[in-house]
Amino acid sequence: AQSVTQLGSHVSVSEGALVLLRCNYSSSVPPYLFWYVQYPNQGLQLLLKYTTGATLVKGINGFEAEFKKSETSFHLTKPSAHMSDAAEYFCAVSSSGGYNKLIFGAGTRLAVHP
Amino acid sequence: NAGVTQTPKFQVLKTGQSMTLQCAQDMNHNSMYWYRQDPGMGLRLIYYSASEGTTDKGEVPNGYNVSRLNKREFSLRLESAAPSQTSVYFCASRGGRAGTDTQYFGPGTRLTVL
């Protein structure tokens, strides 16, 4: 069975500081990994995804994530936080092929303060 | 190109009432999904439809039924609403070249059951 653990339900950073949101996964098959962002009262928007190939994945809005198989991790980073990054972030895992059912983590709410 | 649309945006029901949540996508995707989002629990899969004419249970199907009306539309029905079904409901569709598929989410329906 697959599962996702996001460490820290709330993260607070200063504007301009590094953003690091942690995600660890469990999967018995090669995983596909995703980060989604949800702004208040909106649906989920894909930030980035890892399927195969390069383990450092770049996404929208300056975010990137690195797939580390040995650590079963897929942490999300951004070098310099902006006020507009305040949102909830979800890490998700799916198995390759099949019907691409996503298993989501509980989410991390990012606050950015001046 | 509207992507994934959901109606209604908000709904309040009394216990025991029934209703249908509507979802449509215009991206010609084969697979569609219904999730519910509850605080601290991320998104959980209720039902999915791998293709027109097929539906399968997800993680939390009890109390729900679905209909894949055609390739575009996938509806979720609550036959007898309960307060435990108070949640935000998201529809998603999946498309893209096999092996790099991504799920695209609608804006959500916020349901309150009194």
Side-chain angles (χ1 to χ4, degrees), chain B residues 92-112:
Chain B
S93 69
R94 178 178 74 98
R97 182 167 54 88
T100 59
D101 294 0
T102 297
Q103 289 192 21
Y104 298 88
F105 286 80
T109 294
R110 191 172 297 271
L111 175 67
T112 301

Side-chain angles (χ1 to χ4, degrees), chain A residues 16-95:
Chain A
L18 171 72
V19 175
L20 171 60
L21 304 182
R22 299 179 187 273
C23 172
N24 288 90
Y25 70 90
S26 172
S27 178
S28 58
V29 297
Y32 286 9
L33 295 159
F34 304 79
W35 275 101
Y36 283 86
V37 60
Q38 184 181 33
Y39 298 103
N41 299 314
Q42 294 188 26
L44 278 71
Q45 179 183 359
L46 181 69
L47 267 182
L48 50 80
K49 63 182 177 183
Y50 168 79
T51 54
T52 58
T55 56
L56 182 62
V57 180
K58 295 186 185 299
I60 61 172
N61 301 339
F63 284 93
E64 63 182 37
E66 186 171 11
F67 169 58
K68 292 187 176 181
K69 185 178 179 180
S70 61
E71 299 177 8
T72 61
S73 69
F74 190 57
H75 301 330
L76 182 70
T77 61
K78 182 174 180 178
S80 177
H82 192 271
M83 297 295 288
S84 61
D85 294 327
E88 190 156 20
Y89 293 79
F90 293 93
C91 182
V93 64
S94 75
S95 57

Side-chain angles (χ1 to χ4, degrees), chain B residues 39-99:
Chain B
M41 302 186 74
L43 278 76
R44 293 179 292 169
L45 183 65
I46 305 172
Y47 271 93
Y48 68 99
S49 170
S51 61
E52 186 178 352
T54 69
T55 61
D56 283 286
K57 295 178 181 179
E59 184 183 354
V60 288
N62 290 345
Y64 305 95
N65 285 301
V66 290
S67 295
R68 184 72 183 269
L69 305 170
N70 47 56
K71 192 171 186 178
R72 289 187 65 248
E73 299 172 287
F74 187 38
S75 63
L76 178 72
R77 183 161 179 85
L78 287 69
E79 291 290 352
S80 179
S84 61
Q85 294 179 303
T86 293
S87 187
V88 182
Y89 291 86
F90 288 99
C91 178
S93 69
R94 178 178 74 98
R97 182 167 54 88

